[in-house]
Amino acid sequence: MSLLIGIPKETFAGEKRVASVPEVVVKLVKLGFAVAVESSAGEAANFADEDYRAAGAEVLPGAADVWARADIVFKVRPPTLDEVGMLREGATLIGFVWPAQHPELMEALQARKATVLAIDCLPRQLSRAQKMDALSSMAGISGYRAVIEAANAFGRFFNGQITAAGKIPPARVFIAGAGVAGLAAIGTAANLGAVVRANDTRAEVADQVVSLGGEFVKVDYDEEGSGGGGYAKVMSEGFQAAQRAMYAREAKDADIVITTALIPGKPAPKLITAEMVQSMKPGSVIVDLAAEQGGNCELTVPGEAVVRHGVTIIGYTDLVSRLARQSSTLYSNNLLRLTEELCKAKDGNIVVNFEDDAIRGLTVVKEGELTWPAPPPKLPAASTKSKASNAPLTAPKGHGHGAGEPMSVKSLAIVFGVGALLFLLVGLYAPASFLTHFTVFVLACFVGYMVVWNVTPSLHTPLMSVTNAISSIIAIGALVQIAPPLADGAGDRPGGLIGVLAFVAITLTAVNMFGGFAVTRRMLAMFRK
């Protein structure tokens, strides 16, 4: 018997998202589930009840009907205690829960013997978990929307212009924190033509900032800022002092400041002080993406846009809901991918498998038993590839070489010796005309081998594709074979079999040539902005 997935309407003030959209409902039905949606649940995100009915869902009149009947409940915001009271005993809840911030909610869910999968507890360091990473999906939307809100409040263009009425300089944007939201903001602001500078405690994101069109601003203090699960860690006092000095300089020069700094389980760090705000130019804008957790700016008012010292400080806590249709679609896709992992048999039933590190990390309550916090994911065993990379250092003589590993002198001497002996045998018994072509062939193989051997492995694909293209000299020989005889009678038209083989050779060579250049072009395009 298939399980029923219930999608109630969100009751949190200002929340416009819905946990599943009609497009995803169709896929849930194909997995074998029945789906019930509360009437008008998707209305704020522009999804009508008729759309859900057409997708195969049942539309129920009230929230109590959904909570009482559903075997699995999809939610966006954490449920209220009243909603938990309506949850059917033993049911499964999937959505944002934030267990560290809601101890009473956790106790209520345990009392209902529920199984709870908190999408915010996903082990984000697992590459296979990216398709379920709703935090990143929502952060990307909030970063984009932050730039749009800043542009709305800012008094002039983002891009620089030279007009008959005068020169307009580009807006200067500084972004504090280059996580998912920060990177989305960098790309959006750069695309609008602004001069973008950004900082993050994690030095490894510098290349990502530059690739999106920004400039990475480094704090003049050496300390690694990477924390667990893709987040930054709390930095030392010395680093924080150097960081504040850098922020003071950047805030004074910037027209727009966007802050994104958050550390799980802790209040948002204060990065922009009142003095920094006062030093900013009148008409400047600050968008505080951490407003819901207290804000990165001392003067932020959560949920409001205020003006302090001539600077507009935007502390909206519903940036994601301001793009409700888009965010609902991405979030419901994340839940769909999670459901696919839970229902591998596609029979409308789920299995919470604790052997799966991603599912184990998500599960905070199982059948009424508290399972949060989850143990750290198991580190993968050393791969065969890693062992193979060390093989040349320890392998006995005569074993093969790793990619890019130069031959030893002895191996090279053996190769040359065998080649010289083969060349001698060919020279003694082969016709003189064949020996010339064979010499060119051997030299071509040797030169090609040495060139490829000394190229970085990551460039082998474009290198081989373009060499395939330019080495297709076989086309010349095939053309000669099928060419008409000379006017003076010298040369004969080839026989039927030779002509067919020559035509096939030209066809295959043409594919090789054009395909080689096409592959090379696509590969090189990956390295361009």
Side-chain angles (χ1 to χ4, degrees):
M1 183 179 178
S2 61
L3 301 180
L4 174 67
I5 295 176
I7 304 166
K9 185 176 181 178
E10 298 296 320
T11 58
F12 188 86
E15 182 58 72
K16 298 178 181 179
R17 288 173 291 176
V18 62
S20 195
V21 301
E23 177 186 348
V24 170
V25 168
V26 173
K27 298 175 182 178
L28 292 172
V29 171
K30 287 182 179 179
L31 284 174
F33 295 98
V35 181
V37 182
E38 182 182 351
S39 180
S40 74
E43 194 173 78
N46 297 314
F47 295 110
D49 289 348
E50 291 73 19
D51 297 332
Y52 284 104
R53 289 192 182 96
E58 179 184 4
V59 177
L60 300 178
D65 297 321
V66 176
W67 286 95
R69 287 182 51 188
D71 301 294
I72 305 168
V73 175
F74 282 0
K75 277 277 291 168
V76 179
R77 292 276 185 169
T80 64
L81 295 179
D82 290 339
E83 287 174 327
V84 174
M86 294 186 288
L87 179 65
R88 189 173 63 81
E89 187 167 314
T92 299
L93 172 69
I94 301 177
F96 286 108
V97 178
W98 305 107
Q101 287 84 4
H102 300 100
E104 292 184 1
L105 173 61
M106 295 293 288
E107 292 176 4
L109 289 167
Q110 291 177 69
R112 301 297 295 176
K113 306 294 183 185
T115 296
V116 182
L117 280 75
I119 202 73
D120 48 278
C121 292
L122 179 74
R124 302 170 75 188
Q125 63 269 40
L126 300 176
S127 58
R128 59 177 296 271
Q130 292 178 2
K131 61 185 178 181
M132 302 177 273
D133 189 0
L135 282 172
S136 292
S137 300
M138 300 301 101
I141 292 175
S142 65
Y144 170 86
R145 185 69 191 197
V147 176
I148 302 303
E149 294 292 341
N152 181 58
F154 190 48
R156 56 183 175 85
F157 298 138
F158 262 48
N159 63 324
Q161 297 184 17
I162 298 177
T163 69
K167 180 180 179 181
I168 303 171
R172 299 180 63 86
V173 179
F174 176 69
I175 297 172
V180 177
L183 292 173
I186 292 167
T188 305
N191 288 336
L192 289 174
V195 175
V196 185
R197 291 164 65 86
N199 167 262
D200 196 279
T201 58
R202 297 159 292 188
E204 65 267 19
V205 304
D207 290 339
Q208 299 177 50
V209 170
V210 174
S211 70
L212 290 169
E215 178 186 350
F216 187 77
V217 184
K218 191 176 185 299
V219 177
D220 190 16
Y221 193 98
D222 290 331
E223 183 176 348
E224 176 54 44
S226 295
Y231 295 97
K233 70 175 185 180
V234 179
M235 307 301 286
S236 67
E237 285 296 331
F239 182 94
Q240 292 181 35
Q243 186 183 53
R244 283 192 293 270
M246 182 270 291
Y247 282 158
R249 294 192 303 270
E250 293 297 327
K252 188 174 182 179
D253 293 337
D255 299 305
I256 295 168
V257 175
I258 299 175
T259 64
T260 70
L262 280 175
I263 298 173
K266 297 181 181 294
K270 299 299 180 185
L271 305 179
I272 306 299
T273 64
E275 291 77 12
M276 295 180 195
V277 175
Q278 194 168 3
S279 72
M280 295 177 71
K281 298 184 286 288
S284 299
V285 179
I286 296 174
V287 183
D288 194 340
L289 293 184
E292 195 167 354
Q293 284 75 38
N296 295 138
C297 176
E298 287 184 348
L299 302 181
T300 296
V301 178
E304 298 181 22
V306 297
V307 179
R308 299 287 186 269
H309 307 295
V311 177
T312 302
I313 304 172
I314 298 174
Y316 297 148
T317 58
D318 62 344
L319 288 176
V320 177
S321 276
R322 290 173 182 242
L323 288 169
R325 187 179 181 91
Q326 180 68 78
S327 55
S328 296
T329 300
L330 293 182
Y331 180 70
S332 59
N333 277 323
N334 292 138
L335 295 192
L336 171 65
R337 301 309 171 200
L338 171 57
T339 307
E340 290 174 341
E341 292 295 315
L342 295 170
C343 180
K344 293 185 179 294
K346 298 183 180 181
D347 59 354
N349 291 280
I350 63 172
V351 176
V352 181
N353 179 17
F354 272 22
E355 296 300 317
D356 185 325
D357 283 340
I359 301 302
R360 176 65 188 91
L362 285 166
T363 309
V364 295
V365 178
K366 185 175 184 182
E367 297 175 358
E369 180 182 349
L370 183 67
T371 58
W372 177 85
K378 304 182 188 75
L379 294 175
S383 64
T384 305
K385 184 176 180 180
S386 299
K387 294 178 181 177
S389 65
N390 296 326
L393 300 175
T394 58
K397 297 179 180 180
H399 282 210
H401 301 273
E405 181 74 17
M407 281 189 176
S408 65
V409 176
K410 182 177 179 181
S411 300
L412 196 60
I414 293 174
V415 170
F416 271 99
V418 173
L421 180 60
L422 180 62
F423 196 78
L424 177 62
L425 293 174
V426 172
L428 289 174
Y429 299 103
S433 59
F434 177 80
L435 185 60
T436 302
H437 295 298
F438 184 72
T439 303
V440 174
F441 173 75
V442 171
L443 290 175
C445 290
F446 175 73
V447 172
Y449 168 80
M450 295 303 294
V451 169
V452 175
W453 194 268
N454 289 284
V455 169
T456 303
S458 61
L459 296 178
H460 279 177
T461 298
L463 173 69
M464 292 304 295
S465 60
V466 75
T467 52
N468 281 343
I470 64 177
S471 67
S472 296
I473 196 171
I474 191 173
I476 298 175
L479 288 170
V480 169
Q481 287 297 322
I482 63 174
L486 300 176
D488 59 2
D492 298 319
R493 185 180 296 276
L497 179 60
I498 296 177
V500 170
L501 291 176
F503 177 77
V504 171
I506 290 177
T507 303
L508 296 178
T509 303
V511 172
N512 193 39
M513 292 171 63
F514 290 107
F517 284 120
V519 170
T520 301
R521 182 179 179 183
R522 293 189 65 179
M523 289 292 296
L524 295 180
M526 295 171 61
F527 296 92
R528 299 191 184 104
K529 181 181 174 182

